[in-house]
Amino acid sequence: MSTLSLHQIRKQFGDVVAVHEMNLHVNHGEFLCILGPSGCGKSTALRMIAGFEEPTAGDIRIDDRSIGMLPPNKRPTAMVFQKYTLWPHMRVYENIAFGLRLHGFSRKDIDEKVKGALELVGLPAYGKRFPSQLSGGEQQRIALARALVLQPKILLLDEPFSNLDALLRVRLREELRRIQRQVNITAIFVTHDQEEALSLADRIAVMNKGRIEQLDHPSRIYEQPQTLFVADFIGVMNLLPAHQDGGEIIIGSYRMPVPSGNEYSGDVTLAVRPEDLAIVPSGSDAAWNGQVEHVIDLGHYRKVLVRTEHMGVLKVYLPKAVDVREATTLALQPTRYTIFRDHQTPIEVHAGSVPQLSLQGMA
Amino acid sequence: MTASQTEPAPHSKSRFSTVLPYLLVAPPILMVFGLIFFPALQSTLRTLTDAETGAFSLARYEMFFADKTSVTSLIFTIQIALESLLGLFVICFPLALYLRFNTSRIATGVQMISLLPMFVPGIMSAYALIRFVRGRGLFETLIYQVSPLLADAYYSPYVKPEGIVIGLIWEAIPFTVLILLAGLRQLDNGLIESAQDIGANRWYIFTRIILPLMRRSILIAFCLNFISMFGAYTIPYLLGPAAPQTMGVLMQRTLQDYQQPLEAETQAVITFLICSLVGLVYVQSVSGERVRKG
Ligand SMILES: Nc1ncnc2c1ncn2[C@@H]1O[C@H](COP(=O)(O)OP(=O)(O)O)[C@@H](O)[C@H]1O
Ligand SMILES: [Mg+2]
């Protein structure tokens, strides 16, 4: 059983605060992704867990024992780096065996473990090669084998596949997940690629400017973003600046209801997913009218850009069944939207009362 | 090139531009041949010829190796060069490691200081060293201030083999630090961190990761320093003992004081051969590395 927890971890480089007081608990066998834009402090957080950076403040615990005082070589963590870091002067076998030798395993044990690790990553015949004779993907698999062979408690991965081409990235991602389940290890995976995070993670910690903005299951991260940043960063979102006047949202000439108990007056932002915009019969009261600017066929659905008077260009996803043409007008209404205002829990609105607008009518 | 073929006018210009690089490198190459290779070849041939009959003869070399003074000099010079190199690496490796892995302002200052000897002419630093290390010199005076007893035990390296070693090390520090530092900077941090990550302490990281990956830089520093130390003159002459002498000093003495140009020439050829041998090792290691990489 290996759990990891961070308590109020902070890291400051001179004047730059790379990580603000960060709290995180990772369960045994869990696959947690830290997702965020470049420079948001993901690597710094991971490197503090590995011991390569010393936290300015806070405590890191593995299995409820503080490891903050331990140097990297004494921590029960193992890391796979973004860059290729196999030692070029050692053959693959030696790269994997090196750590085992340092830990005083017998020759026979070493041989067994190295072979097992090579098998695990699907490269059993690669022991005699030098790293320069491997492709990028193979190098990262060997790096994974090297990290796992010592049976660490926590596996850390810092964008390990970001130097690989898209297809290979997807394959290795799936393979990594299989291996992680097989050896049942607690893993933390850092990435800036949301697709990678959404497809890999048990839970995702979305980071921005040194802070975790939301820690949740992938589906909740997408469905119920808790901050404007998460709403914008994950998936595609229409963000519409609006004004709330008591119990009503006002955008241009449109008015929309706010669930009671959320009265407020001031600026807010409305977030609407492209798939949550439905076509309504033109002329209906609350419809957002616009002109179809561009239709992009994406196989099983269409991405439609609609220019509106008060809301700029809206991104709308429509099923293939709906016939839309460029330069025609369209009446839209959101079936679901979220109201964001500064430092407040967002308000999710399911517009169940949208006048029926059904697609069948259009098709 | 295609453009110049269709337009006749700039043709002569383009021909000139293909010749230009050769013209530019010609003077140094000619100079190397004229001032070094040709005289070296001449000397080598002369030492291999009997002066009276003009026939091939190894007599001069037999004489060199039969003469106790010259053989002692040869061994002494090799010894001095190797000892200096050992000391040099013992000083420069930690220094280069410190500079590579430390980004503080102090490190920048240390780096500048380590390069200082490069800007001091050899003869000046030699005299400065003499003033510093000789008996009753600055160093002993300083020790005396701390403890007169310690000063009594002070052993001045001046006019001793140790004097030469200290002087040669002093002179070679900047170049060696630069070479080692350049090599160290080529090592990606990830290579070191991943070793640390799987449990290697500093010693293992140094011996199993850094040293093997630094092989080439070490070889370059070793060979080039050996060559310059083996042929050094100013430092051994000013700081070293009257006997034994290094090859550089021996040659000069043989030529100037004993007026034996042919013997001096033989000594020079032997010195040259030893240095070329080391040079060959250097060239091979550098080109060998390229072949393996490419
Ligand atoms: N060693 C360092 N010295 C100074 N600033 C650093 C250092 N490492 C990271 N930073 C800064 O900390 C912030 C977070 O960096 P990082 O954790 O690498 O981000 P990410 O991995 O999310 O791209 C950045 O502003 C970066 O410039
Ligand atoms: Mg990073």
Side-chain angles (χ1 to χ4, degrees):
Chain A
M1 283 287 150
S2 297
T3 61
L4 169 81
S5 47
L6 309 184
H7 300 277
Q8 295 289 105
I9 286 292
R10 177 188 177 84
K11 180 65 190 183
Q12 205 164 337
F13 295 106
D15 292 339
V16 181
V17 183
V19 174
H20 290 272
E21 282 63 23
M22 183 164 163
N23 292 299
L24 185 65
H25 183 84
V26 190
N27 298 314
H28 175 76
E30 188 176 20
F31 199 112
L32 183 112
C33 278
I34 300 181
L35 171 65
S38 168
C40 73
K42 308 180 295 288
S43 294
T44 304
L46 204 70
R47 290 170 57 80
M48 283 193 283
I49 300 168
F52 297 126
E53 303 287 354
E54 199 184 331
T56 313
D59 189 23
I60 300 172
R61 291 171 163 266
I62 290 178
D63 292 340
D64 225 26
R65 292 227 319 270
S66 180
I67 56 159
M69 292 294 116
L70 298 176
N73 51 327
K74 300 259 169 67
R75 294 193 184 194
T77 57
M79 183 133 154
V80 180
F81 296 79
Q82 175 176 3
K83 282 187 250 167
Y84 305 138
T85 59
L86 296 182
W87 303 300
H89 59 297
M90 295 183 195
R91 291 176 196 276
V92 163
Y93 186 98
E94 277 310 309
N95 262 280
I96 301 174
F98 185 51
L100 295 166
R101 288 194 207 291
L102 295 180
H103 286 83
F105 283 91
S106 74
R107 191 176 284 254
K108 190 169 146 284
D109 285 349
I110 291 175
D111 198 54
E112 222 164 77
K113 281 170 186 283
V114 172
K115 292 205 167 122
L118 283 170
E119 207 119 317
L120 186 68
V121 297
L123 299 173
Y126 276 55
K128 288 217 167 66
R129 297 203 189 182
F130 278 103
S132 57
Q133 298 167 311
L134 305 181
S135 70
E138 288 164 349
Q139 290 199 43
Q140 290 306 67
R141 283 187 212 210
I142 299 299
L144 181 64
R146 182 175 72 179
L148 287 174
V149 78
L150 287 167
Q151 299 183 315
K153 292 187 168 180
I154 314 281
L155 177 65
L156 306 170
L157 306 110
D158 190 354
E159 314 211 20
F161 307 141
S162 61
N163 289 334
L164 308 175
D165 65 68
L167 225 61
L168 192 58
R169 208 151 60 214
V170 172
R171 245 186 48 210
L172 280 184
R173 183 197 291 172
E174 283 159 7
E175 203 163 332
L176 169 67
R177 196 62 223 254
R178 169 186 67 74
I179 291 168
Q180 183 263 340
R181 288 213 176 94
Q182 191 176 331
V183 299
N184 193 21
I185 190 173
T186 311
I188 302 183
F189 187 102
V190 158
T191 179
H192 66 268
D193 178 347
Q194 50 172 304
E195 192 197 323
E196 200 162 61
L198 289 167
S199 63
L200 267 173
D202 292 320
R203 281 191 304 158
I204 297 175
V206 183
M207 263 186 95
N208 181 34
K209 295 185 182 153
R211 290 194 167 85
I212 293 183
E213 298 240 345
Q214 187 169 354
L215 174 61
D216 239 323
H217 300 280
S219 60
R220 287 214 5 133
I221 294 270
Y222 183 84
E223 306 272 340
Q224 290 165 299
Q226 292 303 298
T227 70
L228 207 50
F229 172 80
V230 177
D232 191 24
F233 186 68
I234 304 290
V236 179
M237 187 71 94
N238 294 296
L239 290 178
L240 313 171
H243 187 79
Q244 184 172 348
D245 185 11
E248 233 180 6
I249 299 282
I250 301 167
I251 307 180
S253 57
Y254 302 116
R255 283 162 189 272
M256 301 161 76
V258 176
S260 61
N262 295 298
E263 285 73 18
Y264 164 78
S265 286
D267 288 337
V268 296
T269 305
L270 215 65
V272 189
R273 291 266 181 227
E275 64 270 27
D276 291 337
L277 279 166
I279 298 179
V280 292
S282 55
S284 71
D285 268 359
W288 300 352
N289 298 309
Q291 186 155 41
V292 177
E293 234 182 32
H294 196 43
V295 180
I296 304 158
D297 211 319
L298 289 171
H300 57 292
Y301 68 99
R302 287 202 186 93
K303 180 176 173 184
V304 182
L305 301 181
V306 180
R307 178 166 292 284
T308 60
E309 194 182 337
H310 302 292
M311 291 169 279
V313 176
L314 294 175
K315 287 161 249 163
V316 188
Y317 293 164
L318 294 173
K320 281 299 243 321
V322 183
D323 184 30
V324 276
R325 305 228 171 91
E326 283 171 20
T328 57
T329 55
L330 215 54
L332 296 164
Q333 204 165 345
T335 55
R336 195 174 73 103
Y337 53 93
T338 312
I339 304 159
F340 286 94
R341 90 174 123 106
D342 287 347
H343 312 298
Q344 296 283 321
T345 313
I347 305 156
E348 203 186 321
V349 184
H350 288 267
S353 59
V354 171
Q356 265 331 298
L357 32 125
S358 70
L359 295 170
Q360 288 92 317
M362 298 295 300
Chain B
M1 286 306 276
T2 20
S4 66
Q5 273 160 9
T6 48
E7 297 165 44
H11 200 116
S12 59
K13 200 177 167 191
S14 94
R15 185 179 292 167
F16 176 71
S17 69
T18 52
V19 177
L20 185 66
Y22 296 104
L23 284 180
L24 287 176
V25 295
I29 287 184
L30 286 177
M31 228 156 90
V32 166
F33 269 93
L35 295 178
I36 298 173
F37 275 106
F38 186 62
L41 195 69
Q42 262 190 326
S43 288
T44 312
L45 289 178
R46 238 191 333 264
T47 59
L48 289 169
T49 327
D50 190 303
E52 318 231 300
T53 62
F56 174 80
S57 152
L58 284 173
R60 304 218 159 270
Y61 291 91
E62 280 159 18
M63 254 169 72
F64 178 93
F65 284 105
D67 177 34
K68 207 168 151 240
T69 318
S70 45
V71 173
T72 313
S73 270
L74 183 62
I75 294 170
F76 180 66
T77 314
I78 293 175
Q79 230 170 9
I80 290 280
L82 291 180
E83 279 172 23
S84 306
L85 277 167
L86 184 70
L88 189 65
F89 278 110
V90 166
I91 292 171
C92 292
F93 233 114
L95 199 59
L97 284 170
Y98 168 77
L99 294 174
R100 162 69 175 80
F101 294 107
N102 201 305
T103 48
S104 67
R105 270 201 208 120
I106 302 173
T108 322
V110 170
Q111 175 159 21
M112 274 157 65
I113 292 170
S114 77
L115 298 183
L116 203 66
M118 206 151 64
F119 302 102
V120 183
I123 193 144
M124 275 170 67
S125 60
Y127 276 109
L129 272 173
I130 291 172
R131 286 178 58 111
F132 189 68
V133 301
R134 68 167 183 222
R136 307 253 171 89
L138 192 58
F139 191 55
E140 193 179 351
T141 314
L142 280 175
I143 294 177
Y144 189 84
Q145 300 298 323
V146 180
S147 149
L149 265 174
L150 261 179
D152 269 353
Y154 178 65
Y155 167 89
S156 167
Y158 178 48
V159 290
K160 304 208 179 64
E162 292 85 337
I164 309 178
V165 171
I166 292 173
L168 289 179
I169 290 177
W170 161 267
E171 271 199 332
I173 283 177
F175 169 73
T176 310
V177 166
L178 281 181
I179 295 266
L180 293 181
L181 195 55
L184 281 171
R185 288 212 205 281
Q186 281 190 347
L187 295 188
D188 194 286
N189 273 342
L191 294 175
I192 290 151
E193 285 180 346
S194 51
Q196 224 178 341
D197 196 47
I198 55 131
N201 58 24
R202 281 163 193 235
W203 172 249
Y204 281 113
I205 291 174
F206 181 67
T207 55
R208 304 290 175 79
I209 308 291
I210 293 179
L211 271 186
L213 291 176
M214 286 280 289
R215 221 195 60 156
R216 190 167 154 219
S217 305
I218 293 170
L219 235 111
I220 292 174
F222 182 91
C223 291
L224 297 185
N225 277 319
F226 183 90
I227 290 168
S228 81
M229 285 170 169
F230 194 85
Y233 173 72
T234 314
I235 296 270
Y237 179 71
L238 291 175
L239 286 162
Q245 296 164 338
T246 64
M247 290 303 281
V249 178
L250 179 72
M251 268 184 265
Q252 175 70 6
R253 285 263 161 84
T254 309
L255 185 70
Q256 294 289 336
D257 301 353
Y258 314 139
Q259 300 280 329
Q260 295 174 318
L262 274 176
E263 275 74 9
E265 214 161 36
T266 312
Q267 294 157 5
V269 170
I270 288 172
T271 305
F272 181 72
L273 278 179
I274 289 176
C275 289
S276 330
L277 217 67
V278 175
L280 211 67
V281 171
Y282 164 72
V283 169
Q284 195 142 50
S285 77
V286 171
S287 59
E289 200 81 15
R290 279 223 193 101
V291 169
R292 209 188 316 156
K293 268 197 185 143

